[in-house]
Structures are given as structure tokens and as C-alpha cells.
Amino acid sequence: MAVAALATAALVKVLAGRARGRWLTGYAVLIALLGWFNVLGLLLLAAHAVTVVLLRPGRRVVVHLLLAQAAGIAAVVPLLILASAQSSAVGDAAPVTATTLFNYFTWLLTPGQDTLPLALKLLLTLTALAALALLVVHRRTAPSLALAVGVPWLAVPPLLLMAVSLGHPLFAYRYLLFCLPALALLLATAATVVPPRRQLLLALLAAVPLAASHLAIRQEDSRQWDTRAVIRTLRIHDAPGDAVLFSGARCGLIATAFKEAFTGRPDLGTARTAAGFGALDNLPADPDLLQRRLTHTPRVWHITCNHLSSGARQAAARATASQERALARAGFSPVSHHSARGVDITLEQRPTTGRPAGEPAP
């Protein structure tokens, strides 16, 4: 996000004609850094193109900017090649719907809004929309440079990613976090074109939900998954030889984040860790490997993360059903169940521990 802001600032300097050669070099370097930090951040170049079209700086400046952008992109080519080879490691995002852009806008206002009551969410969203509406009404008195930079920066990248996502879902809000400075720029510009009393009113209306959100997101119970409940359950009720089995998108990363809590509890559902083969997700064990591991395990803690998007929820449901069939074939049955925020914890145990699956009791 900071690199996107710096790259846009360099663009403005070039368009203003100040030390153009130095700023062109800086612009190319910042574009390269932006691509290395976030490949989808290169969508910002499309917004910059719209800004250049709106401001019409002259053919020479346009050519210099195109060369700087080409140099920046060329520096990112190795990453683009590597990313294309690892595209399968990235799961599909939720499909684009009629409410995607609005939901993205409300998320951009404050990523911690899930912790806010509905009334405060509406207050914050309506205040921001009112400020932008006032900017549209008073656009003739607003600084033209701020509009030419801020509007494309805020609108073009999400629209492009939304169009791409119609074929291959990629519209994850966090990929577009670099557009946040554009929203801040436009809201600040709106504050300059309204009377002081309205400025104060808008500031007060936004301050209440923003303060509540930033306080709430720092609380432990603001997390989507209650990892404390998982760790506490294992520490109190585990037994020697217990193993864990995760289901749900990236649920197994809980064990990566809290290594001490899962020491001595093998993850039966993971063939290789994400760190082990350079991907975002753990490599799941195939059904045969899982079945072999289950035959040598007396008890299994089946941990299911259920706070998922609609797309991820379908894949997680299929994985969970497959795991439950494997547990049943190995002779396991649930003996206890506990639900916490975003997670279900089920203890699966053989009817007679120490016997191979399927061997009858004497």
C-alpha cells in the first residue's frame, strides 16, 4: 500500500514536470517494487493510464512514462513466470456477485468492520457515501489533480479484477488494499469543498464507528477462528498417541502458528507442509496415506474450521466428508464434540483402542 502511494506520488511529480528524469527513474523502481510485493498491485498501472489520459501532459511525457512502466514490469517478469507455475497453490476466491463492489467498498473503509454492530456499519458507510456524493456535487471547485488521480485509483483496479474474476475468481478484498489511499484522498478532498460545519459533522459521524472498529479488532474475540478453544481443549483432554486431522481452508495452518501446542500430535491429513514445498497451503495426504496413518492411531482430534467463504465452504465440505468416511472405515466413532467460534472440535476414538480396525472385541 505504501509503495502504491509512493508510485502515484512519483507519477504526479513527473506530470508536474519537476526533475522529470529523477522522478521517472524513481517511478520505474517503485513499479518494480510494487509488483514484487503484490503482483495484482500492477493493476495500479491501468489507473495511472487513465490519470494520464485525463491530464493530457503531452506526447513526450507519455512516452517517458510508458518506458518507465515497461522497465518496472520487466523487473517483475521473473516473479510473474514463477507465479504462473504456482497458480494452483492459490484457491479460488468467492464468485463475483451484484453486491461484490459494495461489500468491497465497506471493507475498504475499515477491514475490522466485522466486529462492528450493524448500526455502526451503516453509519460509517453512509457517511463515506455522503462525503463522496458531496464531492460529486462540488466537483467543479475540487482540485482537478486530486480527482484525476483518486477516482481512477479507487475504481479501475477493482473493476478490472472483477472482470477477470468472471472467468477465474480472484476477487479477494485484500489484493486491492493498495486502493485504500485513493479512498482517503477522495474523502479528504470532499472535506475541502464543503462548509466547515459539514466538515465537522462528517468527521464526528465517521469517528465513532472508526474508533469502535479499531478498538474491537484488537480484542482476542475478534478473530474468525477461536484458536484458544482448540489449544485449551487439546491441553486438557489429550492423551499419549493422539493425532490431529484438520479440515477447512487452511485450517491446518493453526498447527503452524502454534507449534508448541501441537508438538507430539502428528497431523494425519498433511503429506507435506506449505513451508516444505514452497506453497501457500499444506499438501493434503491422499486417501491411501490417510488410511494407513489412521490404522496406527488410537484417537484423533478432528478439527473443522467453518468460518469460510461460500466457495471455500463447498470444497471444505467435500474434504470433511472424505475424512469422515476414512475415519469410519478405520473403525473410529465420535466420543465428544465441542463447538467454538468458527471451529468444531470432535474427538474420534476406536471402540477398542490397540486393536486393528475391524477386529472384533473378545
Side-chain angles (χ1 to χ4, degrees):
M1 183 168 64
V3 178
L6 290 173
T8 304
L11 172 69
V12 172
K13 293 291 187 180
V14 172
L15 294 175
R18 299 178 182 176
R20 189 163 288 165
R22 183 180 64 185
W23 284 111
L24 278 169
T25 302
Y27 181 61
V29 171
L30 288 167
I31 290 300
L33 288 175
L34 178 62
W36 277 94
F37 288 147
N38 176 11
V39 170
L40 291 177
L42 295 177
L43 292 172
L44 180 65
L45 297 182
H48 286 179
V50 175
T51 297
V52 171
V53 170
L54 292 174
L55 295 179
R56 300 178 181 178
R59 181 178 299 177
R60 184 178 179 182
V61 176
V62 172
V63 171
H64 287 167
L65 283 171
L66 288 175
L67 291 175
Q69 289 184 351
I73 294 173
V76 189
V77 167
L79 178 62
L80 295 175
I81 296 174
L82 181 63
S84 64
Q86 296 184 347
S87 59
S88 60
V90 181
D92 287 348
V96 171
T97 65
T99 61
T100 295
L101 283 179
F102 179 77
N103 292 336
Y104 163 68
F105 175 77
T106 60
W107 176 87
L108 202 60
L109 286 169
T110 167
Q113 65 171 308
D114 287 342
T115 62
L116 286 177
L118 179 59
L120 291 181
K121 288 184 186 180
L122 290 176
L123 176 61
L124 180 61
T125 303
L126 293 176
T127 300
L129 290 175
L132 294 178
L134 288 172
L135 179 59
V136 172
V137 171
H138 299 283
R139 62 186 180 278
R140 296 186 183 278
T141 60
S144 58
L145 181 60
L147 294 178
V149 171
V151 173
W153 187 358
L154 179 64
V156 172
L159 288 175
L160 285 177
L161 189 58
M162 187 174 180
V164 172
S165 297
L166 293 176
H168 179 69
L170 280 174
F171 200 100
Y173 301 154
R174 64 183 181 275
Y175 295 158
L176 296 167
L177 189 59
F178 66 88
C179 295
L180 178 59
L183 179 59
L185 173 63
L186 292 176
L187 292 177
T189 303
T192 66
V193 298
V194 297
R197 290 185 178 180
R198 290 186 180 179
Q199 291 179 9
L200 179 60
L201 177 61
L202 290 173
L204 291 176
L205 289 175
V208 174
L210 283 174
S213 174
H214 283 277
L215 288 174
I217 200 173
R218 287 163 173 79
Q219 304 301 314
E220 291 186 359
D221 59 1
S222 67
R223 303 299 183 263
Q224 295 177 340
W225 297 339
D226 188 357
T227 53
R228 292 179 305 164
V230 176
I231 295 170
R232 184 172 57 250
T233 300
L234 292 179
R235 285 178 176 172
I236 295 175
H237 301 290
D238 72 326
D242 282 4
V244 293
L245 182 61
F246 294 98
S247 64
R250 298 182 183 170
C251 192
L253 296 183
I254 294 176
T256 304
F258 301 93
K259 291 183 179 179
E260 293 183 1
F262 289 88
T263 299
R265 303 181 182 97
D267 182 0
L268 303 182
T270 297
R272 295 178 65 188
T273 63
F277 71 110
L280 297 177
D281 294 327
N282 294 332
L283 180 66
D286 59 63
D288 291 338
L289 176 59
L290 176 59
Q291 205 71 51
R292 290 197 302 270
R293 289 176 173 178
L294 287 172
T295 59
H296 299 92
T297 305
R299 302 200 316 173
V300 176
W301 292 95
H302 194 190
I303 301 170
T304 305
C305 295
N306 49 44
H307 190 98
L308 308 171
S309 65
S310 57
R313 191 178 298 117
Q314 295 175 4
R318 292 193 295 268
T320 301
S322 176
Q323 291 173 349
E324 289 177 348
R325 289 193 296 269
L327 287 165
R329 286 195 299 267
F332 286 88
S333 59
V335 295
S336 68
H337 178 81
H338 174 66
S339 293
R341 185 180 62 258
V343 64
D344 290 324
I345 309 166
T346 304
L347 175 59
E348 303 274 354
Q349 184 174 340
R350 298 179 189 278
T352 54
T353 58
R355 295 180 178 276
E359 179 177 330

mmCIF file of all heavy atoms in Angstrom, residues 119-146:
data_model
loop_
_atom_site.group_PDB
_atom_site.id
_atom_site.type_symbol
_atom_site.label_atom_id
_atom_site.label_comp_id
_atom_site.label_asym_id
_atom_site.label_seq_id
_atom_site.Cartn_x
_atom_site.Cartn_y
_atom_site.Cartn_z
ATOM 1 N N ALA A 119 -25.610 -1.133 13.138
ATOM 2 C CA ALA A 119 -25.895 0.308 13.136
ATOM 3 C C ALA A 119 -24.631 1.118 12.854
ATOM 4 O O ALA A 119 -24.658 2.088 12.080
ATOM 5 C CB ALA A 119 -26.513 0.715 14.468
ATOM 6 N N LEU A 120 -23.509 0.721 13.457
ATOM 7 C CA LEU A 120 -22.263 1.454 13.233
ATOM 8 C C LEU A 120 -21.714 1.214 11.827
ATOM 9 O O LEU A 120 -21.122 2.110 11.220
ATOM 10 C CB LEU A 120 -21.227 1.058 14.284
ATOM 11 C CG LEU A 120 -21.509 1.528 15.716
ATOM 12 C CD1 LEU A 120 -20.400 1.083 16.656
ATOM 13 C CD2 LEU A 120 -21.657 3.050 15.758
ATOM 14 N N LYS A 121 -21.911 0.001 11.301
ATOM 15 C CA LYS A 121 -21.507 -0.259 9.914
ATOM 16 C C LYS A 121 -22.257 0.670 8.956
ATOM 17 O O LYS A 121 -21.660 1.274 8.053
ATOM 18 C CB LYS A 121 -21.804 -1.709 9.541
ATOM 19 C CG LYS A 121 -20.898 -2.742 10.177
ATOM 20 C CD LYS A 121 -21.266 -4.119 9.635
ATOM 21 C CE LYS A 121 -20.500 -5.215 10.337
ATOM 22 N NZ LYS A 121 -20.859 -6.550 9.811
ATOM 23 N N LEU A 122 -23.563 0.756 9.157
ATOM 24 C CA LEU A 122 -24.374 1.614 8.290
ATOM 25 C C LEU A 122 -23.980 3.071 8.444
ATOM 26 O O LEU A 122 -23.899 3.820 7.457
ATOM 27 C CB LEU A 122 -25.856 1.423 8.618
ATOM 28 C CG LEU A 122 -26.464 0.075 8.210
ATOM 29 C CD1 LEU A 122 -27.904 -0.021 8.692
ATOM 30 C CD2 LEU A 122 -26.404 -0.107 6.698
ATOM 31 N N LEU A 123 -23.705 3.509 9.667
ATOM 32 C CA LEU A 123 -23.317 4.899 9.906
ATOM 33 C C LEU A 123 -22.026 5.229 9.167
ATOM 34 O O LEU A 123 -21.925 6.269 8.499
ATOM 35 C CB LEU A 123 -23.152 5.138 11.404
ATOM 36 C CG LEU A 123 -22.651 6.538 11.815
ATOM 37 C CD1 LEU A 123 -23.631 7.608 11.366
ATOM 38 C CD2 LEU A 123 -22.434 6.598 13.321
ATOM 39 N N LEU A 124 -21.045 4.358 9.255
ATOM 40 C CA LEU A 124 -19.767 4.605 8.597
ATOM 41 C C LEU A 124 -19.912 4.604 7.077
ATOM 42 O O LEU A 124 -19.395 5.496 6.382
ATOM 43 C CB LEU A 124 -18.760 3.536 9.027
ATOM 44 C CG LEU A 124 -17.359 3.652 8.433
ATOM 45 C CD1 LEU A 124 -16.712 4.967 8.827
ATOM 46 C CD2 LEU A 124 -16.502 2.479 8.872
ATOM 47 N N THR A 125 -20.631 3.613 6.552
ATOM 48 C CA THR A 125 -20.789 3.519 5.098
ATOM 49 C C THR A 125 -21.567 4.700 4.542
ATOM 50 O O THR A 125 -21.176 5.311 3.535
ATOM 51 C CB THR A 125 -21.507 2.206 4.734
ATOM 52 O OG1 THR A 125 -20.760 1.099 5.260
ATOM 53 C CG2 THR A 125 -21.646 2.067 3.232
ATOM 54 N N LEU A 126 -22.660 5.056 5.192
ATOM 55 C CA LEU A 126 -23.473 6.172 4.707
ATOM 56 C C LEU A 126 -22.735 7.500 4.821
ATOM 57 O O LEU A 126 -22.889 8.379 3.969
ATOM 58 C CB LEU A 126 -24.791 6.225 5.489
ATOM 59 C CG LEU A 126 -25.742 5.044 5.242
ATOM 60 C CD1 LEU A 126 -26.973 5.157 6.134
ATOM 61 C CD2 LEU A 126 -26.147 4.983 3.776
ATOM 62 N N THR A 127 -21.914 7.657 5.857
ATOM 63 C CA THR A 127 -21.130 8.882 5.992
ATOM 64 C C THR A 127 -20.135 9.009 4.855
ATOM 65 O O THR A 127 -19.976 10.085 4.253
ATOM 66 C CB THR A 127 -20.393 8.893 7.343
ATOM 67 O OG1 THR A 127 -21.344 8.832 8.408
ATOM 68 C CG2 THR A 127 -19.557 10.154 7.489
ATOM 69 N N ALA A 128 -19.440 7.905 4.539
ATOM 70 C CA ALA A 128 -18.473 7.939 3.436
ATOM 71 C C ALA A 128 -19.165 8.199 2.104
ATOM 72 O O ALA A 128 -18.673 8.986 1.279
ATOM 73 C CB ALA A 128 -17.700 6.625 3.394
ATOM 74 N N LEU A 129 -20.304 7.545 1.884
ATOM 75 C CA LEU A 129 -21.037 7.763 0.635
ATOM 76 C C LEU A 129 -21.544 9.201 0.540
ATOM 77 O O LEU A 129 -21.533 9.800 -0.550
ATOM 78 C CB LEU A 129 -22.209 6.784 0.543
ATOM 79 C CG LEU A 129 -21.829 5.314 0.310
ATOM 80 C CD1 LEU A 129 -23.072 4.433 0.367
ATOM 81 C CD2 LEU A 129 -21.117 5.138 -1.027
ATOM 82 N N ALA A 130 -21.968 9.763 1.666
ATOM 83 C CA ALA A 130 -22.427 11.154 1.664
ATOM 84 C C ALA A 130 -21.281 12.102 1.320
ATOM 85 O O ALA A 130 -21.452 13.068 0.566
ATOM 86 C CB ALA A 130 -23.017 11.498 3.026
ATOM 87 N N ALA A 131 -20.092 11.819 1.872
ATOM 88 C CA ALA A 131 -18.933 12.659 1.566
ATOM 89 C C ALA A 131 -18.582 12.592 0.087
ATOM 90 O O ALA A 131 -18.295 13.619 -0.553
ATOM 91 C CB ALA A 131 -17.744 12.230 2.421
ATOM 92 N N LEU A 132 -18.621 11.390 -0.492
ATOM 93 C CA LEU A 132 -18.314 11.252 -1.910
ATOM 94 C C LEU A 132 -19.392 11.900 -2.779
ATOM 95 O O LEU A 132 -19.092 12.478 -3.832
ATOM 96 C CB LEU A 132 -18.164 9.775 -2.264
ATOM 97 C CG LEU A 132 -16.971 9.058 -1.618
ATOM 98 C CD1 LEU A 132 -16.959 7.578 -2.007
ATOM 99 C CD2 LEU A 132 -15.651 9.709 -2.006
ATOM 100 N N ALA A 133 -20.647 11.821 -2.324
ATOM 101 C CA ALA A 133 -21.724 12.479 -3.066
ATOM 102 C C ALA A 133 -21.531 14.003 -3.051
ATOM 103 O O ALA A 133 -21.747 14.672 -4.074
ATOM 104 C CB ALA A 133 -23.072 12.110 -2.455
ATOM 105 N N LEU A 134 -21.124 14.551 -1.924
ATOM 106 C CA LEU A 134 -20.850 15.996 -1.843
ATOM 107 C C LEU A 134 -19.693 16.373 -2.755
ATOM 108 O O LEU A 134 -19.690 17.458 -3.365
ATOM 109 C CB LEU A 134 -20.537 16.385 -0.397
ATOM 110 C CG LEU A 134 -21.719 16.371 0.573
ATOM 111 C CD1 LEU A 134 -21.233 16.577 2.006
ATOM 112 C CD2 LEU A 134 -22.730 17.462 0.197
ATOM 113 N N LEU A 135 -18.709 15.477 -2.874
ATOM 114 C CA LEU A 135 -17.588 15.746 -3.771
ATOM 115 C C LEU A 135 -18.059 15.795 -5.220
ATOM 116 O O LEU A 135 -17.586 16.629 -6.007
ATOM 117 C CB LEU A 135 -16.525 14.665 -3.589
ATOM 118 C CG LEU A 135 -15.281 14.770 -4.473
ATOM 119 C CD1 LEU A 135 -14.565 16.097 -4.251
ATOM 120 C CD2 LEU A 135 -14.342 13.607 -4.213
ATOM 121 N N VAL A 136 -18.977 14.895 -5.574
ATOM 122 C CA VAL A 136 -19.514 14.906 -6.938
ATOM 123 C C VAL A 136 -20.274 16.204 -7.197
ATOM 124 O O VAL A 136 -20.128 16.842 -8.266
ATOM 125 C CB VAL A 136 -20.427 13.681 -7.157
ATOM 126 C CG1 VAL A 136 -21.144 13.791 -8.499
ATOM 127 C CG2 VAL A 136 -19.616 12.394 -7.087
ATOM 128 N N VAL A 137 -21.066 16.640 -6.237
ATOM 129 C CA VAL A 137 -21.860 17.859 -6.399
ATOM 130 C C VAL A 137 -20.947 19.075 -6.556
ATOM 131 O O VAL A 137 -21.206 19.966 -7.383
ATOM 132 C CB VAL A 137 -22.805 18.031 -5.190
ATOM 133 C CG1 VAL A 137 -23.482 19.399 -5.237
ATOM 134 C CG2 VAL A 137 -23.850 16.921 -5.179
ATOM 135 N N HIS A 138 -19.870 19.114 -5.780
ATOM 136 C CA HIS A 138 -18.961 20.270 -5.777
ATOM 137 C C HIS A 138 -17.677 19.990 -6.569
ATOM 138 O O HIS A 138 -16.637 20.588 -6.295
ATOM 139 C CB HIS A 138 -18.601 20.641 -4.331
ATOM 140 C CG HIS A 138 -19.771 21.042 -3.495
ATOM 141 N ND1 HIS A 138 -20.377 22.280 -3.586
ATOM 142 C CD2 HIS A 138 -20.475 20.344 -2.559
ATOM 143 C CE1 HIS A 138 -21.378 22.347 -2.735
ATOM 144 N NE2 HIS A 138 -21.470 21.188 -2.094
ATOM 145 N N ARG A 139 -17.751 19.097 -7.548
ATOM 146 C CA ARG A 139 -16.541 18.690 -8.262
ATOM 147 C C ARG A 139 -15.867 19.843 -9.000
ATOM 148 O O ARG A 139 -14.652 19.826 -9.220
ATOM 149 C CB ARG A 139 -16.852 17.555 -9.229
ATOM 150 C CG ARG A 139 -17.851 17.906 -10.327
ATOM 151 C CD ARG A 139 -18.227 16.698 -11.154
ATOM 152 N NE ARG A 139 -19.180 17.006 -12.211
ATOM 153 C CZ ARG A 139 -20.487 17.102 -12.033
ATOM 154 N NH1 ARG A 139 -20.999 16.924 -10.823
ATOM 155 N NH2 ARG A 139 -21.289 17.392 -13.043
ATOM 156 N N ARG A 140 -16.628 20.871 -9.392
ATOM 157 C CA ARG A 140 -16.035 21.989 -10.130
ATOM 158 C C ARG A 140 -15.114 22.824 -9.248
ATOM 159 O O ARG A 140 -14.207 23.494 -9.764
ATOM 160 C CB ARG A 140 -17.138 22.862 -10.731
ATOM 161 C CG ARG A 140 -17.989 22.139 -11.772
ATOM 162 C CD ARG A 140 -18.969 23.074 -12.446
ATOM 163 N NE ARG A 140 -19.823 22.364 -13.399
ATOM 164 C CZ ARG A 140 -19.462 22.055 -14.648
ATOM 165 N NH1 ARG A 140 -18.260 22.402 -15.077
ATOM 166 N NH2 ARG A 140 -20.294 21.405 -15.449
ATOM 167 N N THR A 141 -15.346 22.798 -7.953
ATOM 168 C CA THR A 141 -14.491 23.552 -7.036
ATOM 169 C C THR A 141 -13.409 22.682 -6.401
ATOM 170 O O THR A 141 -12.568 23.190 -5.664
ATOM 171 C CB THR A 141 -15.342 24.189 -5.915
ATOM 172 O OG1 THR A 141 -16.025 23.143 -5.194
ATOM 173 C CG2 THR A 141 -16.366 25.147 -6.494
ATOM 174 N N ALA A 142 -13.444 21.390 -6.671
ATOM 175 C CA ALA A 142 -12.444 20.486 -6.101
ATOM 176 C C ALA A 142 -11.174 20.529 -6.943
ATOM 177 O O ALA A 142 -11.220 20.810 -8.146
ATOM 178 C CB ALA A 142 -12.987 19.056 -6.064
ATOM 179 N N PRO A 143 -10.013 20.246 -6.339
ATOM 180 C CA PRO A 143 -8.753 20.211 -7.103
ATOM 181 C C PRO A 143 -8.821 19.144 -8.199
ATOM 182 O O PRO A 143 -9.072 17.968 -7.919
ATOM 183 C CB PRO A 143 -7.706 19.860 -6.037
ATOM 184 C CG PRO A 143 -8.332 20.240 -4.733
ATOM 185 C CD PRO A 143 -9.794 20.000 -4.900
ATOM 186 N N SER A 144 -8.616 19.559 -9.440
ATOM 187 C CA SER A 144 -8.740 18.625 -10.562
ATOM 188 C C SER A 144 -7.702 17.509 -10.487
ATOM 189 O O SER A 144 -7.984 16.364 -10.877
ATOM 190 C CB SER A 144 -8.591 19.380 -11.891
ATOM 191 O OG SER A 144 -7.335 20.039 -11.941
ATOM 192 N N LEU A 145 -6.504 17.803 -9.984
ATOM 193 C CA LEU A 145 -5.465 16.777 -9.889
ATOM 194 C C LEU A 145 -5.875 15.671 -8.920
ATOM 195 O O LEU A 145 -5.661 14.484 -9.190
ATOM 196 C CB LEU A 145 -4.148 17.407 -9.438
ATOM 197 C CG LEU A 145 -2.954 16.450 -9.314
ATOM 198 C CD1 LEU A 145 -2.662 15.791 -10.650
ATOM 199 C CD2 LEU A 145 -1.728 17.187 -8.787
ATOM 200 N N ALA A 146 -6.475 16.050 -7.791
ATOM 201 C CA ALA A 146 -6.910 15.050 -6.809
ATOM 202 C C ALA A 146 -7.958 14.121 -7.405
ATOM 203 O O ALA A 146 -7.936 12.896 -7.172
ATOM 204 C CB ALA A 146 -7.453 15.743 -5.563
#
